[in-house]
Amino acid sequence: MVDADQTFIIVGGGLAGAKAAETLRAEGFTGRVILICDERDHPYERPPLSKGYLLGKDERDSVFVHEPAWYARNDVELHLGQTVDRVDRAAKTVRFGDDGTLVRYDKLLLATGAEPRRLDIPGTDLAGVHHLRRLAHAERLKGVLGALGRDNGHLVIAGAGWIGLEVAAAARTYGAEVTVIEPGPTPLHGVLGPELGNVFAELHREHGVRFRFGVRLTEIVGQDGMVLAARTDDGEEHPAHDVLAAIGAAPRVGLAEAAGLEIADRAHGGGVVVDARLRTSDPDIYAAGDVASFPHGLFDTRLRVEHWANALNGGPAAARSMLGQDVLYDRVPYFFTDQYDLGMEYSGWAPPGSYDQVVIRGDAGKREFIAFWVRQGRVLAGMNVNVWDVTAPIQRLISSRAAVDTEALADPHVPLESLA
């Protein structure tokens, strides 16, 4: 069968899906490309939603992956505001949820992403309870933060992960009062461990954020549909005009699960199981981005990565795999954050318990340093804070799997390039 006779369908209109469509055309695929997005906005990137756009530094149009005319110009059939409610693997069809239309595919890519986890407590139906995942959420939250800043209002944030901290920084920039409720002992405990989480706690405290660690929200108190306060399991009541639930995201696996595709267990992040070529348990169906659980040889485990770089690189890798190219998806995980005057990039994967020491190069007190998570001399991850142009050598250290001299690793006078 020649390209022109084939139909490739992409379900999910985020960065992974849009970059997959772009790559199919860039690689010369001449068949039909259908991109289905359940939002009415054109595919966009998510980092600005909690960073530049939320702060008012970036224009709305800057978040879009392509200008609207790009899709027609590249003969990509874009279906906005539509869902797929069924994949029939035997017939190789997808069914549109709004009108039941069936469309046959030769190859199918699931890039359905993730959705915010919900608070399961009384009061979450109040008007002042928010999530941040979509552009519409960011638009609403941007207005809320501006109003809280003008009125000296209080924002309570459930969760001290990346979204929670970035929104806390934005809220303080607007002038809002902020309290962060976190059941763990430090911010970002599951990512950075106890050694580095306090760097972010102190940063936010210096900017007036209040933290309550080791407690959970138990109720959001309201009146006439409006938020008045947030209660925690230690009996405290915290003033609040708005509440942000930032307790993580869950992969959107419902469509894949209903189709009988293999799903990873919770210990491996859930997600749709794929191989190193991003193929699911069905050889004609692929998955990429937040929803994909892929084997990573560097870390000897299966990973599901929710960050921007995974969507940016995973979508194109899946597209090339769909075209029959020899693909091995083994990118080192990467993400970044900007909070106040702190900029950070993180490469690798080193959850608590996976490393035996943290090596610091530079001055952590001044927040100008690189941290390395090390196991038996091997670098598992590196985080550069207000130190730039070091991502490439950090990733080479991780990819090499070689043991390094930790004294040299900690010495700023020893070039990182010489250690890989």
Side-chain angles (χ1 to χ4, degrees):
M1 182 183 292
V2 297
D3 278 0
D5 297 324
Q6 292 187 312
T7 297
F8 285 10
I9 296 179
I10 302 167
V11 180
L15 179 60
K19 296 302 285 188
E22 176 186 320
T23 302
L24 289 174
R25 290 303 187 219
E27 293 290 329
F29 180 68
T30 60
R32 191 179 180 192
V33 176
I34 301 173
L35 178 57
I36 304 166
C37 178
D38 66 358
E39 297 184 60
R40 296 195 176 277
D41 290 302
H42 284 74
Y44 57 86
E45 301 190 40
R46 298 193 190 277
L49 305 190
S50 59
K51 298 181 176 72
Y53 178 67
L54 187 63
L55 283 163
K57 295 179 179 180
D58 297 339
E59 295 296 326
R60 188 179 189 277
D61 287 352
S62 69
V63 308
F64 296 112
V65 182
H66 304 107
E67 61 174 332
W70 180 90
Y71 298 92
R73 190 164 63 244
N74 287 273
D75 197 22
V76 173
E77 299 176 38
L78 181 61
H79 296 262
L80 296 177
Q82 297 199 22
T83 61
V84 170
D85 68 0
R86 186 169 185 265
V87 174
D88 186 329
R89 292 166 54 193
K92 297 186 71 171
T93 60
V94 301
R95 184 176 70 188
F96 283 87
D98 56 341
D99 61 6
T101 297
L102 296 176
V103 183
R104 191 181 184 283
Y105 64 85
D106 292 283
K107 300 289 183 182
L108 172 65
L109 172 61
L110 300 178
T112 48
E115 58 189 0
R117 296 187 188 277
R118 307 284 169 167
L119 290 166
D120 186 19
I121 59 176
T124 56
D125 57 341
L126 295 168
V129 177
H130 310 275
H131 299 86
L132 181 55
R133 180 71 188 178
R134 299 190 169 208
L135 182 53
H137 295 156
E139 289 174 330
R140 182 186 179 200
L141 192 58
K142 185 178 178 183
V144 165
L145 297 186
L148 290 175
R150 289 190 300 271
D151 301 334
N152 198 32
H154 287 75
L155 175 69
V156 167
I157 299 175
W162 296 115
I163 295 296
L165 293 186
E166 288 178 356
V167 173
R172 289 300 296 143
T173 301
Y174 279 102
E177 298 295 320
V178 179
T179 300
V180 178
I181 309 296
E182 168 56 47
T186 64
L188 307 161
H189 186 77
V191 180
L192 304 183
E195 298 88 353
L196 274 300
N198 275 321
V199 171
F200 287 87
E202 289 306 310
L203 169 71
H204 281 269
R205 286 190 180 111
E206 288 176 11
H207 286 83
V209 173
R210 292 179 290 274
F211 285 100
R212 294 291 289 116
F213 293 114
V215 297
R216 298 176 184 273
L217 282 185
T218 56
E219 182 181 2
I220 301 171
V221 182
Q223 184 176 348
D224 298 327
M226 305 303 294
V227 171
L228 296 179
R231 290 177 179 154
T232 47
D233 58 5
D234 60 351
E236 294 276 333
E237 185 167 288
H238 306 273
H241 298 97
D242 290 271
V243 174
L244 173 73
I247 57 174
R252 299 177 67 189
V253 298
L255 190 64
E257 197 167 26
L261 298 176
E262 185 180 356
I263 306 299
D265 60 27
R266 191 181 182 93
H268 294 95
V272 180
V273 170
V274 296
D275 63 15
R277 295 186 58 190
L278 300 181
R279 294 178 302 189
T280 71
S281 50
D282 183 315
D284 291 321
I285 303 178
Y286 300 72
D290 294 0
V291 78
S293 172
F294 62 96
H296 205 301
L298 275 178
F299 307 105
D300 302 316
T301 191
R302 181 170 289 279
L303 298 181
R304 187 180 68 83
V305 180
E306 294 178 0
H307 299 295
W308 166 84
N310 183 49
L312 179 72
N313 298 307
R320 294 186 179 99
S321 190
M322 293 165 77
L323 292 171
Q325 297 180 20
D326 188 15
V327 169
L328 173 62
Y329 190 66
D330 60 354
R331 303 283 301 220
V332 174
Y334 166 90
F335 61 89
F336 67 98
T337 190
D338 297 302
Q339 299 171 34
Y340 311 110
D341 57 354
L342 181 148
M344 182 279 286
E345 298 173 294
Y346 179 104
S347 298
W349 184 77
S354 66
Y355 55 92
D356 50 43
Q357 69 178 122
V358 177
V359 176
I360 303 293
R361 167 185 285 234
D363 192 332
K366 292 182 178 179
R367 301 191 191 107
E368 293 182 6
F369 67 96
I370 308 173
F372 299 94
W373 285 261
V374 178
R375 182 178 66 211
Q376 297 178 349
R378 175 189 162 202
V379 176
L380 302 178
M383 177 178 76
N384 48 299
V385 175
N386 289 337
V387 176
W388 304 111
D389 301 321
V390 292
T391 295
I394 289 173
Q395 293 203 356
R396 282 195 292 271
L397 281 171
I398 297 167
S399 298
S400 72
R401 300 175 66 101
V404 298
D405 182 336
T406 54
E407 289 189 6
L409 193 63
D411 187 347
H413 298 99
V414 177
L416 287 178
E417 292 82 357
S418 70
L419 300 176

